[in-house]
Amino acid sequence: MSVQLWTGCSVATMQAAAGTPYGWVEDAAIAVEGDRIAWIGPRDQMPGLLRKGCEQEHDCRGALVTPGLIDCHTHLVYGGDRAHEFELRLGGASYEDISRAGGGIASTVKATRAASEAELAAQSLPRLRALMGEGVTTIEIKSGYGLALDHEAKALRVARSFAREQAVDVRTTFLGAHALPPEYAGRADEYIDDVLRMLPALHQQGLVDAVDAFCERIAFSTAQTERVFKAAKALGLPVKLHAEQLSDSGGARLAARYGALSCDHLEWLGEEGAAAMARAGSVAVLLPGAFYFLRDTRVPPIDLLRKLGVPMAVSTDCNPGSSPCTSPLLMLNMACTLFRLTPEEALAGVTRHAAQALGLKDRGVLAKGMRADFVLWDVREPAQLAYAMGFNPHRQTVFGGRPR
Ligand code: DI6
Ligand code: FE
């Protein structure tokens, strides 16, 4: 047995069952064997056998340790940027105005299609590196800016390549039903036919972990979304949904019927939708960056979600149009400031509940048998992670038991 020991730290294990805020362990020891946690707890309670098998001891010198952060909703792989549209919006145009005038997602589709696979990787990698620099160890990346088989495949391959080349785990989501590509203008149902052809082809290439759609008046109807969900279910793939971002379209209720892993955005979520999510066990993924960047004023129904026991995740939504954000720490702050989450809820949102939103049972909390993905921070208490704005106290990330 070869054990790596990490000591001299306090740990926010984020275990709900621990019965302490943040699953807190003072003066902790973490024993790592291979890519798993072999033991974690107060140092003076560690079994002697583990100390004997210890190959190397790392002194964390008073660091706070949390689970590796999980960014469970991103559109990180895209070409170009939309700084010009940012200027237009500052001049008075709305996100929906720009979208209807052929800008918005469509302009990113153009840039993404024009980029070669290598160019797309080169443009996207700095964003991933920024997220990793704030402790991200697992990231979900959606397609949805290719909107044609070859370009969707290209983007998903780029996303998958990051898992091989960087010390990070990547889950890929097919978001073919993100927007109507220009060549299908006025023919949304025919485009959905195309999405239903793309999905099995991409799945066969091993590029799809889950299926998402944008259910909204500027995107796809519930009927169109349901066709995509049916196809996903037929392939045994889990679904999730961009739901009730700009209006209450009934997306959450539909997604819940298909046992969605998560419903995301949710500014316009009503009682019925929330109740359906609670029954289905779907996670509410909150995206305060998009809320902030679009200067939204309608806050997701946080009290209702709390009352119904719907787990809340928090994510960057990293994308060029509504949340050009590569900072999970800033999202913690905004989740607290804008949505009134507690710092503990916010941190659970990028750890335990983010893992649940991706259907991953081996991470998100620090406990025996879990993946040894954790972060050393130069702060004393976890609330400091949500409190500061634009300050990064990240010291080191351990990914699969190895310092990154
Ligand atoms: N909702 C969003 O906020 C992003 N996609 C979506 O379905 C925005 C994507 C973009 O504007 O490029
Ligand atoms: Fe999104």
Side-chain angles (χ1 to χ4, degrees):
M1 181 168 67
S2 133
V3 173
Q4 302 265 325
L5 215 51
W6 298 78
T7 54
C9 51
S10 307
V11 183
T13 66
M14 301 313 289
Q15 283 186 62
T20 51
Y22 300 96
W24 187 253
V25 182
E26 189 84 34
D27 192 10
I30 308 172
V32 174
E33 218 185 327
D35 65 356
R36 298 283 151 167
I37 294 172
W39 190 87
I40 183 167
R43 172 160 56 170
D44 57 9
Q45 293 174 24
M46 191 175 68
L49 200 64
L50 282 169
R51 182 162 291 290
K52 273 206 209 107
C54 171
E55 178 184 293
Q56 193 178 6
E57 181 163 346
H58 307 260
D59 179 5
C60 300
R61 289 176 285 115
L64 165 75
V65 175
T66 69
L69 303 193
I70 299 173
D71 202 356
C72 68
H73 176 140
T74 86
H75 312 247
L76 177 121
V77 173
Y78 60 82
D81 71 85
R82 305 242 288 278
H84 178 58
E85 287 181 11
F86 181 53
E87 290 182 310
L88 292 179
R89 283 203 296 116
L90 290 167
S94 75
Y95 181 78
E96 289 188 67
D97 291 339
I98 292 169
S99 162
R100 288 185 204 286
I105 295 176
S107 66
T108 301
V109 170
K110 206 167 162 188
T112 303
R113 287 179 174 179
S116 70
E117 195 159 330
E119 283 163 354
L120 199 52
Q123 289 186 44
S124 305
L125 183 59
R127 295 188 278 272
L128 176 64
R129 300 291 306 181
L131 292 167
M132 291 171 68
E134 291 192 6
V136 169
T137 50
T138 298
I139 180 174
E140 183 255 18
I141 301 178
K142 303 173 193 297
S143 68
Y145 291 117
L147 308 184
L149 181 59
D150 291 351
H151 296 295
E152 289 287 290
K154 174 178 71 178
L156 291 169
R157 279 196 304 270
V158 166
R160 288 281 173 111
S161 74
F162 291 147
R164 291 190 300 273
E165 289 157 17
Q166 310 291 323
V168 70
D169 199 13
V170 177
R171 315 302 293 181
T172 49
T173 299
F174 174 56
L175 178 56
H178 190 200
L180 197 58
E183 62 275 19
Y184 278 98
R187 298 186 293 133
D189 287 314
E190 286 173 50
Y191 176 61
I192 295 294
D193 295 341
D194 204 8
V195 168
L196 301 191
R197 284 188 291 271
M198 286 187 239
L199 174 55
L202 295 166
H203 180 52
Q204 204 165 32
Q205 292 170 46
L207 291 171
V208 183
D209 294 314
V211 176
D212 193 352
F214 188 16
C215 183
E216 192 56 64
R217 55 191 179 210
I218 56 165
F220 297 99
S221 67
T222 47
Q224 289 159 344
T225 301
E226 183 159 17
R227 292 181 62 204
V228 177
F229 282 179
K230 281 205 167 106
K233 282 287 140 183
L235 294 170
L237 289 167
V239 303
K240 55 180 84 178
L241 190 64
H242 282 73
E244 341 298 18
Q245 180 184 8
L246 308 170
S247 61
D248 187 354
S249 312
R253 266 168 292 159
L254 170 68
R257 278 207 281 120
Y258 283 82
L261 285 173
S262 70
C263 298
D264 305 33
H265 286 289
L266 301 174
E267 276 76 359
W268 290 80
L269 179 70
E271 298 232 0
E272 263 185 66
M277 286 175 64
R279 282 194 300 273
S282 304
V283 175
V285 177
L286 307 174
L287 304 165
F291 174 91
Y292 163 81
F293 196 69
L294 297 180
R295 299 184 79 220
D296 213 334
T297 51
R298 195 179 165 107
V299 174
I302 304 299
D303 279 338
L304 179 62
L305 293 167
R306 268 192 200 116
K307 193 180 86 192
L308 295 170
V310 177
M312 294 181 282
V314 173
S315 172
T316 61
D317 196 13
C318 176
N319 79 69
S322 68
S323 188
C325 172
T326 51
S327 173
L329 292 178
L330 184 58
M331 294 306 95
L332 294 183
N333 180 272
M334 287 190 182
C336 296
T337 311
L338 300 173
F339 293 171
R340 311 314 283 169
L341 263 61
T342 66
E344 187 183 358
E345 285 173 325
L347 192 58
V350 294
T351 54
R352 185 173 75 239
H353 293 156
Q356 194 178 340
L358 296 177
L360 298 172
K361 296 193 164 62
D362 62 351
R363 65 196 78 184
V365 299
L366 297 177
K368 187 178 169 180
M370 291 283 166
R371 276 186 62 85
D373 294 346
F374 51 87
V375 186
L376 276 60
W377 306 95
D378 281 317
V379 297
R380 274 186 23 263
E381 51 173 319
Q384 286 175 275
L385 298 176
Y387 154 79
M389 295 188 285
F391 177 70
N392 182 3
H394 174 271
R395 192 203 296 170
Q396 184 170 41
T397 295
V398 176
F399 176 72
R402 293 182 180 202
R404 186 159 80 179

PDB file of all heavy atoms in Angstrom, residues 332-366:
ATOM      1  N   LEU A 332     -19.562  32.322  -7.006  1.00  0.00           N
ATOM      2  CA  LEU A 332     -19.935  32.129  -5.599  1.00  0.00           C
ATOM      3  C   LEU A 332     -20.391  33.458  -5.015  1.00  0.00           C
ATOM      4  O   LEU A 332     -21.420  33.549  -4.341  1.00  0.00           O
ATOM      5  CB  LEU A 332     -18.742  31.605  -4.782  1.00  0.00           C
ATOM      6  CG  LEU A 332     -18.207  30.218  -5.094  1.00  0.00           C
ATOM      7  CD1 LEU A 332     -17.080  29.869  -4.127  1.00  0.00           C
ATOM      8  CD2 LEU A 332     -19.307  29.185  -4.993  1.00  0.00           C
ATOM      9  N   ASN A 333     -19.607  34.500  -5.285  1.00  0.00           N
ATOM     10  CA  ASN A 333     -19.956  35.812  -4.768  1.00  0.00           C
ATOM     11  C   ASN A 333     -21.314  36.267  -5.307  1.00  0.00           C
ATOM     12  O   ASN A 333     -22.180  36.740  -4.565  1.00  0.00           O
ATOM     13  CB  ASN A 333     -18.866  36.829  -5.105  1.00  0.00           C
ATOM     14  CG  ASN A 333     -19.217  38.203  -4.585  1.00  0.00           C
ATOM     15  OD1 ASN A 333     -19.886  38.970  -5.263  1.00  0.00           O
ATOM     16  ND2 ASN A 333     -18.831  38.502  -3.352  1.00  0.00           N
ATOM     17  N   MET A 334     -21.500  36.123  -6.625  1.00  0.00           N
ATOM     18  CA  MET A 334     -22.761  36.593  -7.221  1.00  0.00           C
ATOM     19  C   MET A 334     -23.954  35.754  -6.772  1.00  0.00           C
ATOM     20  O   MET A 334     -25.059  36.275  -6.628  1.00  0.00           O
ATOM     21  CB  MET A 334     -22.644  36.580  -8.744  1.00  0.00           C
ATOM     22  CG  MET A 334     -21.762  37.686  -9.274  1.00  0.00           C
ATOM     23  SD  MET A 334     -21.922  37.774 -11.079  1.00  0.00           S
ATOM     24  CE  MET A 334     -20.765  39.091 -11.419  1.00  0.00           C
ATOM     25  N   ALA A 335     -23.746  34.450  -6.571  1.00  0.00           N
ATOM     26  CA  ALA A 335     -24.845  33.602  -6.089  1.00  0.00           C
ATOM     27  C   ALA A 335     -25.316  34.115  -4.722  1.00  0.00           C
ATOM     28  O   ALA A 335     -26.509  34.112  -4.422  1.00  0.00           O
ATOM     29  CB  ALA A 335     -24.413  32.145  -5.994  1.00  0.00           C
ATOM     30  N   CYS A 336     -24.363  34.577  -3.913  1.00  0.00           N
ATOM     31  CA  CYS A 336     -24.722  35.106  -2.586  1.00  0.00           C
ATOM     32  C   CYS A 336     -25.308  36.509  -2.698  1.00  0.00           C
ATOM     33  O   CYS A 336     -26.357  36.809  -2.131  1.00  0.00           O
ATOM     34  CB  CYS A 336     -23.497  35.129  -1.679  1.00  0.00           C
ATOM     35  SG  CYS A 336     -22.833  33.485  -1.337  1.00  0.00           S
ATOM     36  N   THR A 337     -24.628  37.369  -3.463  1.00  0.00           N
ATOM     37  CA  THR A 337     -25.026  38.778  -3.506  1.00  0.00           C
ATOM     38  C   THR A 337     -26.332  38.969  -4.286  1.00  0.00           C
ATOM     39  O   THR A 337     -27.224  39.688  -3.843  1.00  0.00           O
ATOM     40  CB  THR A 337     -23.923  39.607  -4.182  1.00  0.00           C
ATOM     41  OG1 THR A 337     -22.685  39.265  -3.585  1.00  0.00           O
ATOM     42  CG2 THR A 337     -24.165  41.093  -4.007  1.00  0.00           C
ATOM     43  N   LEU A 338     -26.440  38.323  -5.436  1.00  0.00           N
ATOM     44  CA  LEU A 338     -27.592  38.548  -6.307  1.00  0.00           C
ATOM     45  C   LEU A 338     -28.758  37.617  -5.981  1.00  0.00           C
ATOM     46  O   LEU A 338     -29.914  37.999  -6.105  1.00  0.00           O
ATOM     47  CB  LEU A 338     -27.195  38.375  -7.776  1.00  0.00           C
ATOM     48  CG  LEU A 338     -26.094  39.311  -8.281  1.00  0.00           C
ATOM     49  CD1 LEU A 338     -25.666  38.920  -9.699  1.00  0.00           C
ATOM     50  CD2 LEU A 338     -26.557  40.759  -8.255  1.00  0.00           C
ATOM     51  N   PHE A 339     -28.445  36.353  -5.626  1.00  0.00           N
ATOM     52  CA  PHE A 339     -29.514  35.361  -5.399  1.00  0.00           C
ATOM     53  C   PHE A 339     -29.736  35.067  -3.914  1.00  0.00           C
ATOM     54  O   PHE A 339     -30.601  34.281  -3.566  1.00  0.00           O
ATOM     55  CB  PHE A 339     -29.185  34.047  -6.128  1.00  0.00           C
ATOM     56  CG  PHE A 339     -29.210  34.139  -7.645  1.00  0.00           C
ATOM     57  CD1 PHE A 339     -28.752  33.075  -8.418  1.00  0.00           C
ATOM     58  CD2 PHE A 339     -29.695  35.256  -8.313  1.00  0.00           C
ATOM     59  CE1 PHE A 339     -28.774  33.119  -9.803  1.00  0.00           C
ATOM     60  CE2 PHE A 339     -29.715  35.325  -9.704  1.00  0.00           C
ATOM     61  CZ  PHE A 339     -29.249  34.249 -10.457  1.00  0.00           C
ATOM     62  N   ARG A 340     -28.932  35.647  -3.042  1.00  0.00           N
ATOM     63  CA  ARG A 340     -29.048  35.471  -1.589  1.00  0.00           C
ATOM     64  C   ARG A 340     -28.828  34.034  -1.138  1.00  0.00           C
ATOM     65  O   ARG A 340     -29.436  33.587  -0.154  1.00  0.00           O
ATOM     66  CB  ARG A 340     -30.407  35.995  -1.065  1.00  0.00           C
ATOM     67  CG  ARG A 340     -30.810  37.382  -1.535  1.00  0.00           C
ATOM     68  CD  ARG A 340     -29.725  38.407  -1.453  1.00  0.00           C
ATOM     69  NE  ARG A 340     -29.465  38.925  -0.112  1.00  0.00           N
ATOM     70  CZ  ARG A 340     -28.407  39.682   0.191  1.00  0.00           C
ATOM     71  NH1 ARG A 340     -27.529  40.009  -0.748  1.00  0.00           N
ATOM     72  NH2 ARG A 340     -28.223  40.110   1.412  1.00  0.00           N
ATOM     73  N   LEU A 341     -27.997  33.282  -1.822  1.00  0.00           N
ATOM     74  CA  LEU A 341     -27.573  32.000  -1.281  1.00  0.00           C
ATOM     75  C   LEU A 341     -26.650  32.260  -0.106  1.00  0.00           C
ATOM     76  O   LEU A 341     -25.998  33.312  -0.049  1.00  0.00           O
ATOM     77  CB  LEU A 341     -26.821  31.168  -2.333  1.00  0.00           C
ATOM     78  CG  LEU A 341     -27.637  30.115  -3.097  1.00  0.00           C
ATOM     79  CD1 LEU A 341     -28.764  30.774  -3.881  1.00  0.00           C
ATOM     80  CD2 LEU A 341     -26.745  29.306  -4.020  1.00  0.00           C
ATOM     81  N   THR A 342     -26.569  31.321   0.816  1.00  0.00           N
ATOM     82  CA  THR A 342     -25.545  31.430   1.857  1.00  0.00           C
ATOM     83  C   THR A 342     -24.226  30.974   1.230  1.00  0.00           C
ATOM     84  O   THR A 342     -24.231  30.205   0.251  1.00  0.00           O
ATOM     85  CB  THR A 342     -25.862  30.517   3.051  1.00  0.00           C
ATOM     86  OG1 THR A 342     -25.773  29.152   2.618  1.00  0.00           O
ATOM     87  CG2 THR A 342     -27.260  30.794   3.613  1.00  0.00           C
ATOM     88  N   PRO A 343     -23.088  31.409   1.786  1.00  0.00           N
ATOM     89  CA  PRO A 343     -21.814  30.924   1.253  1.00  0.00           C
ATOM     90  C   PRO A 343     -21.716  29.391   1.270  1.00  0.00           C
ATOM     91  O   PRO A 343     -21.131  28.797   0.374  1.00  0.00           O
ATOM     92  CB  PRO A 343     -20.780  31.562   2.184  1.00  0.00           C
ATOM     93  CG  PRO A 343     -21.437  32.824   2.639  1.00  0.00           C
ATOM     94  CD  PRO A 343     -22.896  32.479   2.797  1.00  0.00           C
ATOM     95  N   GLU A 344     -22.343  28.765   2.265  1.00  0.00           N
ATOM     96  CA  GLU A 344     -22.313  27.295   2.308  1.00  0.00           C
ATOM     97  C   GLU A 344     -23.133  26.695   1.165  1.00  0.00           C
ATOM     98  O   GLU A 344     -22.707  25.734   0.520  1.00  0.00           O
ATOM     99  CB  GLU A 344     -22.836  26.804   3.666  1.00  0.00           C
ATOM    100  CG  GLU A 344     -22.672  25.297   3.820  1.00  0.00           C
ATOM    101  CD  GLU A 344     -23.239  24.754   5.135  1.00  0.00           C
ATOM    102  OE1 GLU A 344     -23.730  25.556   5.948  1.00  0.00           O
ATOM    103  OE2 GLU A 344     -23.183  23.530   5.319  1.00  0.00           O
ATOM    104  N   GLU A 345     -24.303  27.273   0.892  1.00  0.00           N
ATOM    105  CA  GLU A 345     -25.108  26.794  -0.241  1.00  0.00           C
ATOM    106  C   GLU A 345     -24.344  26.999  -1.556  1.00  0.00           C
ATOM    107  O   GLU A 345     -24.370  26.155  -2.449  1.00  0.00           O
ATOM    108  CB  GLU A 345     -26.441  27.555  -0.319  1.00  0.00           C
ATOM    109  CG  GLU A 345     -27.459  27.157   0.723  1.00  0.00           C
ATOM    110  CD  GLU A 345     -28.695  28.065   0.702  1.00  0.00           C
ATOM    111  OE1 GLU A 345     -28.562  29.287   0.439  1.00  0.00           O
ATOM    112  OE2 GLU A 345     -29.790  27.563   0.977  1.00  0.00           O
ATOM    113  N   ALA A 346     -23.686  28.163  -1.668  1.00  0.00           N
ATOM    114  CA  ALA A 346     -22.956  28.462  -2.902  1.00  0.00           C
ATOM    115  C   ALA A 346     -21.818  27.463  -3.116  1.00  0.00           C
ATOM    116  O   ALA A 346     -21.626  26.945  -4.224  1.00  0.00           O
ATOM    117  CB  ALA A 346     -22.426  29.898  -2.864  1.00  0.00           C
ATOM    118  N   LEU A 347     -21.089  27.158  -2.043  1.00  0.00           N
ATOM    119  CA  LEU A 347     -19.984  26.210  -2.182  1.00  0.00           C
ATOM    120  C   LEU A 347     -20.505  24.799  -2.492  1.00  0.00           C
ATOM    121  O   LEU A 347     -19.921  24.085  -3.317  1.00  0.00           O
ATOM    122  CB  LEU A 347     -19.107  26.210  -0.915  1.00  0.00           C
ATOM    123  CG  LEU A 347     -17.764  25.486  -1.051  1.00  0.00           C
ATOM    124  CD1 LEU A 347     -16.897  26.077  -2.167  1.00  0.00           C
ATOM    125  CD2 LEU A 347     -16.991  25.518   0.271  1.00  0.00           C
ATOM    126  N   ALA A 348     -21.622  24.413  -1.877  1.00  0.00           N
ATOM    127  CA  ALA A 348     -22.245  23.129  -2.232  1.00  0.00           C
ATOM    128  C   ALA A 348     -22.640  23.146  -3.707  1.00  0.00           C
ATOM    129  O   ALA A 348     -22.632  22.119  -4.386  1.00  0.00           O
ATOM    130  CB  ALA A 348     -23.471  22.867  -1.357  1.00  0.00           C
ATOM    131  N   GLY A 349     -22.967  24.358  -4.204  1.00  0.00           N
ATOM    132  CA  GLY A 349     -23.387  24.511  -5.605  1.00  0.00           C
ATOM    133  C   GLY A 349     -22.291  24.248  -6.615  1.00  0.00           C
ATOM    134  O   GLY A 349     -22.574  23.912  -7.768  1.00  0.00           O
ATOM    135  N   VAL A 350     -21.043  24.411  -6.216  1.00  0.00           N
ATOM    136  CA  VAL A 350     -19.932  24.124  -7.152  1.00  0.00           C
ATOM    137  C   VAL A 350     -19.189  22.845  -6.760  1.00  0.00           C
ATOM    138  O   VAL A 350     -18.105  22.572  -7.288  1.00  0.00           O
ATOM    139  CB  VAL A 350     -18.930  25.307  -7.267  1.00  0.00           C
ATOM    140  CG1 VAL A 350     -19.596  26.507  -7.918  1.00  0.00           C
ATOM    141  CG2 VAL A 350     -18.358  25.688  -5.911  1.00  0.00           C
ATOM    142  N   THR A 351     -19.779  22.095  -5.811  1.00  0.00           N
ATOM    143  CA  THR A 351     -19.155  20.823  -5.408  1.00  0.00           C
ATOM    144  C   THR A 351     -20.212  19.711  -5.415  1.00  0.00           C
ATOM    145  O   THR A 351     -20.476  19.122  -6.452  1.00  0.00           O
ATOM    146  CB  THR A 351     -18.475  20.966  -4.014  1.00  0.00           C
ATOM    147  OG1 THR A 351     -19.429  21.457  -3.066  1.00  0.00           O
ATOM    148  CG2 THR A 351     -17.290  21.921  -4.083  1.00  0.00           C
ATOM    149  N   ARG A 352     -20.848  19.497  -4.250  1.00  0.00           N
ATOM    150  CA  ARG A 352     -21.759  18.353  -4.108  1.00  0.00           C
ATOM    151  C   ARG A 352     -22.919  18.394  -5.107  1.00  0.00           C
ATOM    152  O   ARG A 352     -23.215  17.407  -5.778  1.00  0.00           O
ATOM    153  CB  ARG A 352     -22.295  18.346  -2.659  1.00  0.00           C
ATOM    154  CG  ARG A 352     -23.144  17.160  -2.319  1.00  0.00           C
ATOM    155  CD  ARG A 352     -23.481  17.130  -0.833  1.00  0.00           C
ATOM    156  NE  ARG A 352     -24.483  18.106  -0.435  1.00  0.00           N
ATOM    157  CZ  ARG A 352     -24.282  19.070   0.477  1.00  0.00           C
ATOM    158  NH1 ARG A 352     -23.115  19.200   1.067  1.00  0.00           N
ATOM    159  NH2 ARG A 352     -25.247  19.911   0.795  1.00  0.00           N
ATOM    160  N   HIS A 353     -23.566  19.540  -5.207  1.00  0.00           N
ATOM    161  CA  HIS A 353     -24.743  19.604  -6.070  1.00  0.00           C
ATOM    162  C   HIS A 353     -24.368  19.685  -7.547  1.00  0.00           C
ATOM    163  O   HIS A 353     -25.137  19.263  -8.410  1.00  0.00           O
ATOM    164  CB  HIS A 353     -25.639  20.771  -5.649  1.00  0.00           C
ATOM    165  CG  HIS A 353     -26.261  20.561  -4.300  1.00  0.00           C
ATOM    166  ND1 HIS A 353     -26.682  21.585  -3.498  1.00  0.00           N
ATOM    167  CD2 HIS A 353     -26.510  19.412  -3.601  1.00  0.00           C
ATOM    168  CE1 HIS A 353     -27.178  21.087  -2.359  1.00  0.00           C
ATOM    169  NE2 HIS A 353     -27.069  19.775  -2.407  1.00  0.00           N
ATOM    170  N   ALA A 354     -23.190  20.223  -7.834  1.00  0.00           N
ATOM    171  CA  ALA A 354     -22.729  20.235  -9.232  1.00  0.00           C
ATOM    172  C   ALA A 354     -22.444  18.810  -9.695  1.00  0.00           C
ATOM    173  O   ALA A 354     -22.736  18.446 -10.842  1.00  0.00           O
ATOM    174  CB  ALA A 354     -21.490  21.107  -9.366  1.00  0.00           C
ATOM    175  N   ALA A 355     -21.885  17.988  -8.807  1.00  0.00           N
ATOM    176  CA  ALA A 355     -21.649  16.575  -9.149  1.00  0.00           C
ATOM    177  C   ALA A 355     -22.979  15.891  -9.439  1.00  0.00           C
ATOM    178  O   ALA A 355     -23.116  15.144 -10.426  1.00  0.00           O
ATOM    179  CB  ALA A 355     -20.921  15.869  -8.009  1.00  0.00           C
ATOM    180  N   GLN A 356     -23.961  16.175  -8.600  1.00  0.00           N
ATOM    181  CA  GLN A 356     -25.290  15.576  -8.792  1.00  0.00           C
ATOM    182  C   GLN A 356     -25.908  16.024 -10.123  1.00  0.00           C
ATOM    183  O   GLN A 356     -26.544  15.230 -10.813  1.00  0.00           O
ATOM    184  CB  GLN A 356     -26.190  15.972  -7.607  1.00  0.00           C
ATOM    185  CG  GLN A 356     -27.468  15.172  -7.512  1.00  0.00           C
ATOM    186  CD  GLN A 356     -28.310  15.569  -6.302  1.00  0.00           C
ATOM    187  OE1 GLN A 356     -27.817  16.162  -5.325  1.00  0.00           O
ATOM    188  NE2 GLN A 356     -29.600  15.264  -6.361  1.00  0.00           N
ATOM    189  N   ALA A 357     -25.676  17.282 -10.485  1.00  0.00           N
ATOM    190  CA  ALA A 357     -26.220  17.797 -11.749  1.00  0.00           C
ATOM    191  C   ALA A 357     -25.604  17.081 -12.952  1.00  0.00           C
ATOM    192  O   ALA A 357     -26.172  17.087 -14.040  1.00  0.00           O
ATOM    193  CB  ALA A 357     -25.986  19.302 -11.856  1.00  0.00           C
ATOM    194  N   LEU A 358     -24.429  16.489 -12.751  1.00  0.00           N
ATOM    195  CA  LEU A 358     -23.788  15.744 -13.841  1.00  0.00           C
ATOM    196  C   LEU A 358     -23.975  14.235 -13.675  1.00  0.00           C
ATOM    197  O   LEU A 358     -23.440  13.445 -14.466  1.00  0.00           O
ATOM    198  CB  LEU A 358     -22.289  16.083 -13.902  1.00  0.00           C
ATOM    199  CG  LEU A 358     -21.964  17.544 -14.241  1.00  0.00           C
ATOM    200  CD1 LEU A 358     -20.457  17.788 -14.209  1.00  0.00           C
ATOM    201  CD2 LEU A 358     -22.532  17.927 -15.609  1.00  0.00           C
ATOM    202  N   GLY A 359     -24.713  13.837 -12.642  1.00  0.00           N
ATOM    203  CA  GLY A 359     -24.935  12.409 -12.413  1.00  0.00           C
ATOM    204  C   GLY A 359     -23.678  11.687 -11.954  1.00  0.00           C
ATOM    205  O   GLY A 359     -23.553  10.476 -12.144  1.00  0.00           O
ATOM    206  N   LEU A 360     -22.741  12.420 -11.329  1.00  0.00           N
ATOM    207  CA  LEU A 360     -21.475  11.819 -10.900  1.00  0.00           C
ATOM    208  C   LEU A 360     -21.506  11.548  -9.398  1.00  0.00           C
ATOM    209  O   LEU A 360     -21.693  12.466  -8.601  1.00  0.00           O
ATOM    210  CB  LEU A 360     -20.300  12.745 -11.245  1.00  0.00           C
ATOM    211  CG  LEU A 360     -20.116  13.004 -12.745  1.00  0.00           C
ATOM    212  CD1 LEU A 360     -19.063  14.086 -12.977  1.00  0.00           C
ATOM    213  CD2 LEU A 360     -19.726  11.714 -13.457  1.00  0.00           C
ATOM    214  N   LYS A 361     -21.311  10.291  -9.034  1.00  0.00           N
ATOM    215  CA  LYS A 361     -21.437   9.911  -7.621  1.00  0.00           C
ATOM    216  C   LYS A 361     -20.091   9.772  -6.928  1.00  0.00           C
ATOM    217  O   LYS A 361     -20.031   9.474  -5.745  1.00  0.00           O
ATOM    218  CB  LYS A 361     -22.200   8.588  -7.537  1.00  0.00           C
ATOM    219  CG  LYS A 361     -23.635   8.690  -8.048  1.00  0.00           C
ATOM    220  CD  LYS A 361     -24.443   7.463  -7.665  1.00  0.00           C
ATOM    221  CE  LYS A 361     -25.934   7.693  -7.810  1.00  0.00           C
ATOM    222  NZ  LYS A 361     -26.352   7.992  -9.184  1.00  0.00           N
ATOM    223  N   ASP A 362     -18.997   9.951  -7.673  1.00  0.00           N
ATOM    224  CA  ASP A 362     -17.674   9.684  -7.099  1.00  0.00           C
ATOM    225  C   ASP A 362     -16.904  10.962  -6.777  1.00  0.00           C
ATOM    226  O   ASP A 362     -15.702  10.943  -6.592  1.00  0.00           O
ATOM    227  CB  ASP A 362     -16.851   8.815  -8.068  1.00  0.00           C
ATOM    228  CG  ASP A 362     -16.611   9.518  -9.402  1.00  0.00           C
ATOM    229  OD1 ASP A 362     -17.223  10.590  -9.648  1.00  0.00           O
ATOM    230  OD2 ASP A 362     -15.809   8.992 -10.195  1.00  0.00           O
ATOM    231  N   ARG A 363     -17.593  12.086  -6.713  1.00  0.00           N
ATOM    232  CA  ARG A 363     -16.894  13.358  -6.457  1.00  0.00           C
ATOM    233  C   ARG A 363     -17.874  14.406  -5.916  1.00  0.00           C
ATOM    234  O   ARG A 363     -19.060  14.148  -5.813  1.00  0.00           O
ATOM    235  CB  ARG A 363     -16.227  13.857  -7.741  1.00  0.00           C
ATOM    236  CG  ARG A 363     -17.210  14.216  -8.839  1.00  0.00           C
ATOM    237  CD  ARG A 363     -16.533  14.317 -10.182  1.00  0.00           C
ATOM    238  NE  ARG A 363     -16.285  12.983 -10.733  1.00  0.00           N
ATOM    239  CZ  ARG A 363     -15.646  12.731 -11.864  1.00  0.00           C
ATOM    240  NH1 ARG A 363     -15.162  13.723 -12.572  1.00  0.00           N
ATOM    241  NH2 ARG A 363     -15.487  11.495 -12.307  1.00  0.00           N
ATOM    242  N   GLY A 364     -17.347  15.563  -5.589  1.00  0.00           N
ATOM    243  CA  GLY A 364     -18.211  16.641  -5.096  1.00  0.00           C
ATOM    244  C   GLY A 364     -18.172  16.753  -3.582  1.00  0.00           C
ATOM    245  O   GLY A 364     -18.515  17.792  -3.030  1.00  0.00           O
ATOM    246  N   VAL A 365     -17.799  15.679  -2.904  1.00  0.00           N
ATOM    247  CA  VAL A 365     -17.562  15.716  -1.461  1.00  0.00           C
ATOM    248  C   VAL A 365     -16.246  14.981  -1.205  1.00  0.00           C
ATOM    249  O   VAL A 365     -15.821  14.164  -2.017  1.00  0.00           O
ATOM    250  CB  VAL A 365     -18.687  15.036  -0.643  1.00  0.00           C
ATOM    251  CG1 VAL A 365     -20.017  15.714  -0.863  1.00  0.00           C
ATOM    252  CG2 VAL A 365     -18.786  13.560  -0.985  1.00  0.00           C
ATOM    253  N   LEU A 366     -15.616  15.306  -0.091  1.00  0.00           N
ATOM    254  CA  LEU A 366     -14.390  14.597   0.280  1.00  0.00           C
ATOM    255  C   LEU A 366     -14.752  13.545   1.329  1.00  0.00           C
ATOM    256  O   LEU A 366     -15.154  13.893   2.448  1.00  0.00           O
ATOM    257  CB  LEU A 366     -13.342  15.590   0.789  1.00  0.00           C
ATOM    258  CG  LEU A 366     -12.886  16.608  -0.276  1.00  0.00           C
ATOM    259  CD1 LEU A 366     -11.897  17.611   0.313  1.00  0.00           C
ATOM    260  CD2 LEU A 366     -12.259  15.898  -1.484  1.00  0.00           C
TER     261      LEU A 366
END
